[in-house]
Amino acid sequence: MQHKKLSGILVESVILSHEVLALVIGFGININQQVFHDDLKDAATSLTLSTSKTYDKDVIYDALIDQFEKDYLAFKKDYKLTIDYCNKYHVLNGKKISYSDHHELKIAKVIKIQDDGTLLVIGDQQEIALSNKDISIVKV
């Protein structure tokens, strides 16, 4: 909203031999927050700040749970459609990230999320599949 961050998602995965064994997803939404810490005030917003309205958190929570259930059922039916959706809309599309390669910091450009949950990037003229433990975001 207004080129500011309204919400955030954190995904942690456990991958063994290119197989996703577990996936934990956490998210947060700035609903009625009116003041942000100095280091976030230029980058973050809330529904209240963006619309000048106050929201009932329970109504938003119920709508999120309903949508999550629909999305989860669609994921169970065909998880590749969910990956395609994420590839279309995720914030890292085409962005540069940093990753650790044997304790050496490297920079690469994000290509896509692969079907196994790894992030495909290109760096040093080669494609590399990264798991979330290898990745940190770099402002470019």
Side-chain angles (χ1 to χ4, degrees), residues 24 39 42 49 52 55-56 63 76 78 80 94 99 105 118 121 127-128 137 139:
V24 178
D39 61 341
D42 293 331
L49 290 174
S52 301
Y55 293 85
D56 182 335
K76 281 179 57 174
D78 185 356
K80 290 184 181 184
Y99 69 96
L105 188 65
T118 58
V121 299
E127 291 184 351
I128 305 151
I137 306 302
K139 288 186 178 183

Side-chain angles (χ1 to χ4, degrees), residues 10-16 19-25 116-119 130-133:
L10 175 66
V11 178
E12 295 286 333
S13 57
V14 177
I15 300 171
L16 180 64
E19 182 180 349
V20 178
L21 300 179
L23 189 66
V24 178
I25 303 171
D116 66 359
T118 58
L119 189 66
L130 301 173
S131 66
N132 62 326
K133 67 180 176 154

